[in-house]
Amino acid sequence: MGPSAPLSVRQNLAALCGSCAGSFRGLCHGLEEQDQHVLSDASSLIRLPARGAVFREGDRANAVFTLVDGAAKLLRTLPDGRQQIIGFRFPGDLIGYTARDRYPCDAELVCNATVCRIDRGKLEAMSRGCSGISHRLLELCAEDLATAQEQLAAMAQRSSEGRVAAFLLMLRDAARRNGASGTELALPMTRADIGDYLGLTIESVSRVFAGFRRAGLLQEPMRGTVRLLDMPEIESLASGGSAH
Amino acid sequence: MGPSAPLSVRQNLAALCGSCAGSFRGLCHGLEEQDQHVLSDASSLIRLPARGAVFREGDRANAVFTLVDGAAKLLRTLPDGRQQIIGFRFPGDLIGYTARDRYPCDAELVCNATVCRIDRGKLEAMSRGCSGISHRLLELCAEDLATAQEQLAAMAQRSSEGRVAAFLLMLRDAARRNGASGTELALPMTRADIGDYLGLTIESVSRVFAGFRRAGLLQEPMRGTVRLLDMPEIESLASGGSAH
DNA sequence: CGGGCATTTGAGAGTACTCAACCGATGTGG
DNA sequence: CCACATCGGTTGAGTACTCTCAAATGCCCG
């Protein structure tokens, strides 16, 4: 839908090499410099607007993406029309890597964002030649698996407060990975997104946030920003807080 | 803990080649015959008793396993002592494959079982030489990821009845993969296991089963067996049944 | 037969959902 | 420029579902 403006390879390379920590880190981590250059040649930067789709469930998986800037959500639309958010992705994360030939879920942006598109064919050809890349892909897949299982444990046995607390900690960890402070966080997703992610209604999410504010655990200085004030308490809610 | 009796390579090979569909399928699927033989040489069959551990969270990940016979559960023990069951595994499934050097969770048997132990070093050496194996590993990892995400969607937005229905369908699919009918299923796990998997209490699981029996959706002819009678209704509960 | 374990069932409590109204910010058209 | 619609968020009241606690049953094993 939105305006997508592939940049030149030259700009692209500059961007990648200049900001590897923030953009390409997910895939490049631990790779030799020359491999990184090879990857750069197979990729292009694309800007997309909020609510834009990086790809849709069922599309041919012709490319993988790394998120350079912004935030994205992965989601599946359930038969009855509701949506289940599988996870959020942040700068440096790899999106759309799959062993199948079609994407298993939608990837949608929650705010204006920049993604780096990497041709899948080229990536796979490369990974045959460079065992570093293929091992890295497997590592990332295992990482995602661990995250999903973590999330599973989180969801199944936690109260609404525990879930929101765990969500905030995930957000903090993502921010830290990208060099942010960890107390002042961007919160670009809506209450509906958070609810669809945690298996709660909009109202419940809103009530938990209100409760946290009243209890002095956090502030929301402006729309789209949270400041975590009482980290120990939030951590305690996230790990101890039982639903039973 | 339990008696573990490694069998000879000769027996092992025979078992593997003779029953590839039931035991080694998960890993071997799509591999050339010679690769299968190479794998067999790096592996050994082990029998373990119910409640025995295949490995524990934090153990050095020196081996991967395929389940030949029986059923296993993957679980993490939460800080407060409760346990979250990540998933169940059935004959043909690969267990304990990870990109890290320690297992991320416990693997425990729910009944007497036979597993096939494959040395990890040998497997990785092999996968460097044989791109078929490494691609297969990635595929399996992606498969697990998809399953975990599926489960996530299931857990977050379903009622207790919906969850149990989804669990039964998972069980049915596992049985079908192993050539069983799909209506008469082994149910080796306890209500507690099911509850820890679905995020429900023992009592809730029991009540849902009782309700299903009363509604004529299933029978439990004997301990450890269910017969699914009204598949359409179960499927409808699993997909439509909302918690909200 | 007795002890332990898994399961079932009942009664009451608590949590999260549903429905509904309201607020504030944003954007659009008259 | 202002009325108005829209959207995201908040708050309240009542309901429904699942949990907790408790007791009873059935089963397996020594």
Side-chain angles (χ1 to χ4, degrees):
Chain A
M1 48 189 329
S4 56
L7 278 62
S8 79
V9 170
R10 175 144 242 86
Q11 279 180 284
N12 183 8
L13 234 160
L16 291 172
C17 297
S19 65
C20 196
S23 67
F24 229 42
R25 188 200 56 213
L27 193 51
C28 283
H29 182 78
L31 290 187
E32 318 253 324
E33 194 174 332
Q34 68 179 43
D35 291 338
Q36 294 188 21
H37 280 226
V38 176
L39 262 183
S40 298
D41 287 341
S43 62
S44 58
L45 279 183
I46 302 174
R47 313 213 84 254
L48 289 170
R51 287 156 196 283
V54 181
F55 51 79
R56 292 286 174 196
E57 180 172 348
D59 286 356
R60 284 214 155 273
N62 294 327
V64 300
F65 303 83
T66 63
L67 193 50
V68 177
D69 183 77
K73 57 183 179 184
L74 305 181
L75 60 96
R76 312 176 71 140
T77 302
L78 303 177
D80 61 356
R82 288 171 308 168
Q83 62 179 33
Q84 169 62 34
I85 291 187
I86 302 297
F88 294 103
R89 293 293 181 271
F90 302 97
D93 290 344
L94 187 68
I95 300 176
Y97 188 72
T98 170
R100 307 191 183 155
D101 72 332
R102 295 185 179 276
Y103 296 113
C105 64
D106 290 359
E108 220 172 74
L109 299 167
V110 298
C111 55
N112 296 330
T114 310
V115 299
C116 176
R117 181 186 192 281
I118 305 165
D119 185 81
R120 183 178 175 184
K122 290 182 187 165
L123 179 66
E124 294 194 338
M126 217 175 305
S127 81
R128 271 190 290 279
C130 162
S131 74
I133 291 180
S134 73
H135 186 254
R136 182 69 192 135
L137 286 173
L138 185 54
E139 249 177 42
L140 284 168
C141 188
E143 203 72 36
D144 274 8
L145 182 59
T147 304
Q149 292 181 345
E150 203 84 42
Q151 192 186 340
L152 204 56
M155 303 276 318
Q157 312 226 354
R158 281 203 264 242
S159 67
S160 58
E161 292 192 346
R163 294 186 202 191
V164 174
F167 166 75
L168 289 170
L169 294 180
M170 179 210 67
L171 219 58
R172 179 201 58 175
D173 293 341
R176 279 190 181 161
R177 281 201 305 276
N178 287 292
S181 71
T183 64
E184 187 104 15
L185 304 175
L187 189 76
M189 55 287 286
T190 66
R191 305 293 193 217
D193 288 336
I194 300 172
D196 285 339
Y197 177 63
L198 298 176
L200 299 171
T201 58
I202 299 175
E203 296 94 324
S204 291
V205 174
S206 180
R207 273 186 253 269
V208 172
F209 269 89
F212 282 6
R213 280 196 302 269
R214 270 194 299 275
L217 303 189
L218 56 78
Q219 294 173 341
E220 293 185 275
M222 23 173 263
R223 189 98 150 194
T225 306
V226 278
R227 182 179 300 143
L228 306 184
L229 299 176
D230 189 346
M231 212 64 94
E233 183 60 21
I234 293 174
E235 281 169 351
S236 146
L237 281 169
S239 56
S242 162
H244 300 179
Chain B
M1 45 190 341
S4 56
L7 277 63
S8 79
V9 170
R10 175 143 241 86
Q11 279 181 283
N12 182 10
L13 234 160
L16 291 172
C17 296
S19 64
C20 197
S23 68
F24 229 42
R25 187 202 57 210
L27 194 51
C28 283
H29 181 78
L31 291 187
E32 318 255 324
E33 195 175 332
Q34 66 179 45
D35 291 338
Q36 291 188 24
H37 280 225
V38 176
L39 261 183
S40 298
D41 287 341
S43 62
S44 58
L45 278 184
I46 301 175
R47 312 212 87 256
L48 288 170
R51 286 157 198 283
V54 182
F55 51 78
R56 292 286 173 196
E57 180 172 349
D59 285 356
R60 283 212 156 274
N62 295 326
V64 301
F65 303 83
T66 62
L67 193 50
V68 177
D69 182 77
K73 58 183 180 185
L74 304 180
L75 60 94
R76 312 176 71 138
T77 302
L78 303 177
D80 61 357
R82 287 170 309 168
Q83 62 179 30
Q84 169 62 34
I85 291 187
I86 302 297
F88 294 104
R89 293 293 181 271
F90 303 97
D93 291 343
L94 187 68
I95 301 177
Y97 187 73
T98 169
R100 306 189 184 159
D101 71 332
R102 294 185 179 276
Y103 297 113
C105 64
D106 290 358
E108 221 173 75
L109 299 167
V110 298
C111 56
N112 295 332
T114 309
V115 300
C116 176
R117 181 188 192 281
I118 305 166
D119 185 82
R120 184 179 174 182
K122 289 181 186 163
L123 179 66
E124 293 195 340
M126 216 175 303
S127 82
R128 271 189 291 277
C130 161
S131 75
I133 292 181
S134 73
H135 186 253
R136 182 69 191 136
L137 284 173
L138 186 53
E139 249 177 43
L140 284 169
C141 189
E143 203 72 37
D144 273 8
L145 183 59
T147 305
Q149 292 181 344
E150 203 84 42
Q151 192 187 340
L152 205 56
M155 303 278 316
Q157 314 227 353
R158 282 203 264 242
S159 67
S160 58
E161 292 192 347
R163 295 186 203 192
V164 173
F167 165 75
L168 289 170
L169 294 180
M170 179 209 65
L171 220 58
R172 179 200 58 175
D173 293 340
R176 279 190 181 162
R177 280 201 305 275
N178 287 293
S181 71
T183 64
E184 186 104 15
L185 305 175
L187 190 75
M189 56 288 286
T190 66
R191 305 291 193 219
D193 287 337
I194 301 172
D196 286 338
Y197 177 64
L198 298 176
L200 300 171
T201 58
I202 299 174
E203 296 93 325
S204 290
V205 175
S206 179
R207 273 186 253 269
V208 172
F209 269 89
F212 282 5
R213 280 195 303 267
R214 269 195 300 276
L217 304 188
L218 56 80
Q219 293 173 342
E220 293 185 274
M222 25 173 259
R223 193 130 175 140
T225 305
V226 278
R227 183 179 301 141
L228 305 184
L229 299 175
D230 189 346
M231 211 64 94
E233 183 60 20
I234 293 174
E235 281 170 351
S236 147
L237 280 169
S239 55
S242 163
H244 299 181

